[in-house]
Structures are given as structure tokens and as C-alpha cells.
Amino acid sequence: MLLLRLWNYIRGYVIILVEGYFLEKFVNICVHRQIFLWDIKRSKNSALTLKASIKGFKAIRPVARKTKCRVRIIKKKGVPFFLNRYRRRKAFIVGPFLFILLLYAMTSFIWSVEVTGNKEIGYDLLIETLARNGIKPGVLKFGIDTDRVVNNMILEIDKLSWVSVTIKGTKAKVQVAERTVAPELVPKNVPCDIIAKRDGVITSVIVKDGYEMVKAGDTVVKGQVLISGRVPIKNETEKVRYVHSIGSVTARTWYEKSSQVNMKRVQKVKTGRTKDHISLILFTKRIKLFSGEIDFADYEKVEIRKRLSLGEDLVLPFEIVIDRFYENNVMEEELDIEEAKKLSADSALSEVMRDIPPDAKILKTYANYVKDKNNGLVAKVTVECLEEIGLKKEIGGE
Amino acid sequence: MSVSRKAGKKKEKKEEPKAGIREKLAEMLELPKEIVMNIPKMTMIGNKDLIIENYKGIIEYESNRIRINTGAGIIKITGDLMTIKEITSEDILVSGNISSLEFLK
């Protein structure tokens, strides 16, 4: 029954009032002429209301004339009437089409490029190379030949071994794999020494080829020859044999850095007052929407970016950027000695770490503190490391 | 209307010497009687809905009294708030509070 009702609603029907004296006759004739009527109700003595389909209603007219009944429409119901009502409102019809069209148009461009898998190759270089090959935000995605891009990428960037470009929604996903560079061959025919990279105390010397010049426990200075490529020949004093020396020399090394900290510290405390500058990035243009004057004496700026996207892959070319300014209160504060020590030691340590090569092993860390005259504290941090200090140097190459 | 036939009552009009042979034939061959004898088949659900199949026409239609012409004479339905829910050339569905059903000659 629900289905029938729904069907009638889709087809459209009218509720009509029939007035006259021979209503039974009217109904009988309608039935005879295969006009489907339903929900016939007696409303008054000489009138009844009934429902009929649009097609049925057209056929009812002659029947009414024949039986001398008056027919009046009370209500029109159903989809056809509903559509008819909105026929004149063009925007109603144009709107949805425009929406679909716009959405389609917007999503047929690439709005973001995502690169994954690179370790040594710079992100900027990859993006730049992709842009040169036609993958950049704002490009029509239908014109992109991913195979060609992949080939060009591999040709242009030497270190790449594999590239995959997939376009998903409005996002270009680029996955790369880097080539592992083949190890350098040892040029055995070029004679060389191994010299010290830096000062230190030798802990071990392993010589594979060449003449050992130092032994464990020796103190060496930078540039000193550790393993010589000139190997003296037995029983001969003048002549030497030139070799390409190979070996490993590890030494204890020291790194030192000092850092000064003022006992009076300037501290910035957020007051809680903030101001926002809102701007919209449409495609690649930045439009400032709302910006007021910043009258804070001291402030910090934080940029918040929000990208409009449908799901993860369908990124739309709208971006809202909120520049939030936090007001700061500048306060001066006396540091206590422990805190000052820690602070200066930390900064000195982080400085010294920059000098230490990554393959060095840190053995010990010492820190000394000295108060200087203008109310500061100097921390001197010494780091003891164990590292490979050998460096190859060609003989006579200079 | 999905009306279960089990719930309905069957009321059939008997005789008329002419119809006798037809009735016997229908019974013998297990043919539907309402077709063979041209009499109405009525299905009722409680006192709410009444479906009359194989009717001839409406004679009177008021909200408390309906008379329908059939092959078995005139059926007079009394009750109140009665409406014709559906009407086609084969069947008629009356719904409302039906209080009595009468066969008039």
C-alpha cells in the first residue's frame, strides 16, 4: 500500500470535489471507463471528495458533464505539481548543475603535490623538477602523462632509482626511491699517507698497508702522518716503496666549547591577549580578509593553516591562513645558580655537539663553571670522544 | 490491498433452479463458484474492510449506508464513516465501521 501511495505521489494526483445528484452514477461510469478512483468520501449530502490521477482527471471531465455533476479541484499533490511550481525559478535548476560543474572543474586540477621516500635528495629539488615536468599546483590533471614524468625525473635527477607518480583526487602523490651510490674503488696505484684529522691521543692503530708511524698512547697533532705510504725496504736506507696506505687509527679526542649566560634573564610571558589576521589563499593568490593593527609592544606570531579538502585526497584550492599574534609581557628575572649552570651547560653542549662528527663515540662530558665580572656565568663543556682520525692524503699531491 | 483470504468469510447465495446445474458443475470440476455462477466474492477483515469482487455497480453511496448491485442481488452495507478506498471495475473496497450486511432481493 505504501508502494502504491508512493507511486501515486510520483505520478501526481488531484483531490477533487464532485457535486451533483447522481453521484453513484458518476462513480459507476468512471469505473466503467477504467478511471481509477480512490479514497472516495461522502462529504455532504450532494457531494463527495475523491482522488484521481492526473490522466484520470482528464477523463473525468466528460463523465461529469454527462451526469451533470460539478467537479472542482481541491488540491494538487505529487511530484509533477511540485516540479511545476519551481519551473520558473531558474536558479533552482541552474544551481545544482552549476555546483556539480564547479566541483568537477575544481577537482580536475592538481592542488597539492606530496613527495615521499626521499632521504638525501632535497624536497625542493624534487618539487622543482616535478614542476618543470608539469606537476605543480594549478595544473590540469588530464594533460599529465605520468609515464613521461617518471622517465624525465629519473633522467634529470641522477640519484633516483625509482619514481612513481599517482594522481589521486586533486593530489599528486610522488613516491621516490634513491639509488644507493656504489662504493668508491680504492685507487691502489696512487700512493698516499694517512694523516691525523685532529689532535688526540691514539688508542689503537690497525695497519693493512703502509708503514706505521705512531702507536697506541701517542699524542698526535692535526696533520701529523699516522701511517706512511713510504715503506722502507729492508737493508736499504735510501730507497722506499710507495704504497697506498690503508688502515684505521682511532684516537681519544676532546671537544671544548664555552657558553656565557646572563644571570638576569629576560623572560617573555604570554598575557593571553591575541589578535588574528585572517587571509584566504585562493588558488595561489593570497587575499587578506581581516587584519587589524597590532599594537602589542612585544609579540609572537604563529601561523595556522587550514586547507579545505574533501576526504584526504580531494584537496580544494582554498586555504585559510590565520596569523595569530600573542602579546608578550617582558619581565626580568634573577636566575638562581643551579638554573644558570644548567642553562649555560645545555647551550654549550648543544654547541659542541655541532662539531663532533656523527660517527664519534662520546665517552665523557665535563663541565666547569666560572663567574665572570659582569654578572654572568660561563660554562665550559668538554666532551671526550673516541673517533677515527685517519684521513687519506696523497703523497706529493699537496 | 493485501487482504488475506483466510480471514474472510465466504457468503454465497444458493439456488435458483437454473443456477443449480452450474453450481453442481462448479463443485464437480472445482471451478471458482463466483466466476461460474457470476456471484460476488466478498472478503471481510473484522468489521473494518470489505472487499467485494465481481460486483456490478453502486446503487447508493452515503457515509452510513452503501448499496451495491451484484449478481446475487443487492448488498446493503450499513455502518458509519464508510469510505470507498478503492474502486475498479472488478472490485470495490469499502472501509469504515461496518455494522451489518444484508442481501436484498
Side-chain angles (χ1 to χ4, degrees), chain A residues 1 4 24 27-28 31 34 36-42 45 48, chain B residues 1 55 57-63 83-89:
Chain A
M1 201 57 202
L4 192 74
E24 289 84 5
V27 174
N28 282 335
V31 167
Q34 308 286 338
F36 183 61
L37 305 174
W38 70 96
D39 280 359
I40 305 170
K41 274 176 204 153
R42 195 88 197 195
N45 256 346
L48 44 86
Chain B
M1 264 284 157
Y55 77 103
I58 308 168
I59 294 168
E60 189 189 5
Y61 173 44
E62 302 284 342
S63 63
T83 59
I84 301 171
K85 270 269 157 126
E86 255 176 55
I87 182 163
T88 64
S89 53

Side-chain angles (χ1 to χ4, degrees), chain A residues 94-104:
Chain A
V94 175
F97 281 107
L98 210 69
F99 173 75
I100 294 164
L101 209 77
L102 211 69
L103 197 70
Y104 182 74

Side-chain angles (χ1 to χ4, degrees), chain A residues 199-218:
Chain A
D199 304 354
V201 176
I202 307 294
T203 53
S204 79
V205 183
I206 300 158
V207 181
K208 286 175 186 159
D209 206 350
Y211 186 69
E212 190 180 327
M213 300 289 279
V214 289
K215 51 186 191 300
D218 283 1

